[in-house]
Amino acid sequence: MRSLLSVSDISEEVTRILDIASDFKDGKIEKEPLKDQKLGMIFQKSSTRTRVSFEVGMYELGGYALFLSNNDLQLGRGEPIKDTAKVLSRYLDGIMIRAIKHEDVVKFSENADIPIINGLTDLEHPCQALADMLTVKEHKGNFDGKFVYVGDGNNVCNSLLLICGCLGMDMAVACPEEYKPDEEIVKKAEEYADKNNSTITITPNVKEAVKDADVIYTDVWVSMGDEAEEEKRKEDFKEYQVNQNLIDLAKDDVIFMHCLPAIRGEEVSSEVIDGPHSVIYDEAENRLHAQKAVMYYFLKEVLE
């Protein structure tokens, strides 16, 4: 029994999972491969794409997805994670958790007898990263180019660093010094990159970072939980907006990506996100195909 808590858990299997996602999108996999299997979906944080993609995906795989908010569970009243994990393991075939703290998902996995899938934590967002790289694969055909992330070195950035390293894609992160991605994540990403003949760069110089980029990616400046820092963050990131001036420094066929939701006029200009380089809706659609691939892989293929 294995779980997906971090991109590092699939460091040697990313390509396989992306191929499964492509096969699902192209209709090449059997109908209802997870027939009658049950997925619990625990949400400590609200969601649009994560909830809908997992719920619809499980339905299309032939299984059943059970939505469980914090208010629906005794976890919200202080029941230990250990007890909840062991009990739900008796009812379900797998659990996806969108959690506030990464260590809560780790504890869940340590005490569960079924696969646990990280639907987002404060440290990583591996399912988003898989959907993102599926989008890059579709639009660029390979991972030979330069992937540039602009903005807060957050959970999404952390997972993108790891997955780019695993795939051998050069990645640059342009962010203020105070908002660098997790040091241990960067170290691990550099190890993967060295192994796969690619580079990882962290720099405060956004113009230098986006030069000759094949992909430019950003996320909101104020994530859930950071609301108390909103005004400070807006000031700190004001030079890191992805606008047409930055797009003009990249390659002519650069694609723009954003995990959504986006705030037009803050981290990205309307001209860019609604412009010809934007692939944000393809990217959002690919959450469904990537999630189906993850569920298939961890609830069926790994167990066979």
Side-chain angles (χ1 to χ4, degrees):
M1 189 276 295
R2 289 180 54 198
S3 292
L4 174 59
L5 310 185
S6 164
V7 171
S8 292
D9 295 327
I10 52 170
S11 61
E12 301 293 331
E13 302 149 286
V14 171
T15 299
R16 171 60 185 155
I17 295 173
L18 292 178
D19 286 344
I20 294 172
S22 294
D23 286 344
F24 272 122
K25 192 169 185 177
D26 295 339
K28 295 180 180 178
I29 294 182
E30 69 205 82
K31 297 287 186 181
E32 301 189 338
L34 298 185
K35 186 173 177 59
D36 297 328
Q37 291 204 40
K38 301 166 289 295
L39 179 77
M41 305 190 305
I42 299 175
F43 285 85
Q44 294 180 341
K45 283 188 171 185
S46 59
S47 167
T48 298
R49 280 150 291 276
T50 298
R51 177 177 178 180
V52 176
S53 59
F54 270 101
E55 193 160 340
V56 171
M58 196 59 177
Y59 171 79
E60 292 184 353
L61 293 173
Y64 177 77
L66 180 66
F67 174 80
L68 300 165
S69 73
N70 228 29
N71 294 330
D72 296 320
L73 297 171
Q74 295 297 337
L75 276 174
R77 298 178 59 199
E79 181 176 59
I81 289 174
K82 175 181 178 180
D83 294 350
T84 300
K86 289 190 175 298
V87 169
L88 292 184
S89 294
R90 304 289 181 100
Y91 302 145
L92 303 167
D93 298 292
I95 295 172
M96 184 280 296
I97 311 178
R98 186 174 172 92
I100 297 171
K101 296 180 180 179
H102 189 79
E103 53 262 38
D104 287 350
V105 177
V106 173
K107 287 180 184 177
F108 223 103
S109 179
E110 290 172 345
N111 290 283
D113 300 315
I114 54 177
I116 305 299
I117 298 168
N118 175 1
L120 174 143
T121 68
D122 56 347
L123 184 64
E124 278 202 58
H125 199 348
C127 292
Q128 178 68 54
L130 284 164
D132 294 336
M133 300 320 285
L134 178 61
T135 309
V136 172
K137 176 184 175 183
E138 291 175 344
H139 283 271
K140 294 298 179 179
N142 55 54
F143 303 108
D144 296 337
K146 180 181 180 182
F147 189 109
V148 179
Y149 178 98
V150 178
D152 186 16
N154 60 14
N155 50 359
V156 173
C157 179
N158 288 336
S159 287
L160 287 170
L161 281 165
L162 291 170
I163 205 165
C164 281
C166 291
L167 292 169
M169 188 171 194
D170 294 338
M171 181 169 173
V173 177
C175 62
E177 290 289 339
E178 187 179 345
Y179 299 93
K180 287 182 178 179
D182 182 85
E183 289 185 9
E184 290 301 313
I185 294 280
V186 173
K187 183 178 178 181
K188 179 63 72 173
E190 288 174 340
E191 291 175 6
Y192 294 146
D194 287 343
K195 180 180 178 181
N196 294 299
N197 301 312
S198 59
T199 62
I200 299 294
T201 304
I202 313 295
T203 176
N205 191 328
V206 63
K207 291 183 178 179
E208 183 63 29
V210 301
K211 184 178 179 181
D212 297 325
D214 295 275
V215 180
I216 296 179
Y217 193 116
T218 194
D219 193 3
V220 292
W221 294 341
V222 184
S223 298
M224 285 183 287
D226 295 328
E227 290 82 3
E229 305 172 6
E230 182 172 356
E231 293 307 314
K232 181 180 186 304
R233 281 174 168 264
K234 286 181 179 180
E235 178 65 23
D236 292 345
F237 285 111
K238 66 182 181 181
E239 302 299 325
Y240 290 83
Q241 183 190 76
V242 177
N243 51 40
Q244 192 60 45
N245 290 334
L246 286 189
I247 293 293
D248 289 342
L249 295 173
K251 290 183 179 177
D252 291 342
D253 62 347
V254 65
I255 59 173
F256 170 76
M257 300 178 67
H258 193 305
C259 53
L260 301 179
I263 302 179
R264 289 161 170 79
E266 286 194 9
E267 74 274 7
V268 60
S269 67
S270 296
E271 181 181 19
V272 169
I273 197 170
D274 297 318
H277 295 281
S278 179
V279 297
I280 60 167
Y281 300 122
D282 292 344
E283 180 185 4
E285 178 194 338
N286 281 337
R287 288 294 302 276
L288 172 62
H289 310 299
Q291 261 63 293
K292 288 170 71 174
V294 166
M295 290 186 285
Y296 177 89
Y297 191 75
F298 282 90
L299 299 184
K300 181 177 175 69
E301 185 163 300
V302 168
L303 302 180
E304 291 183 343

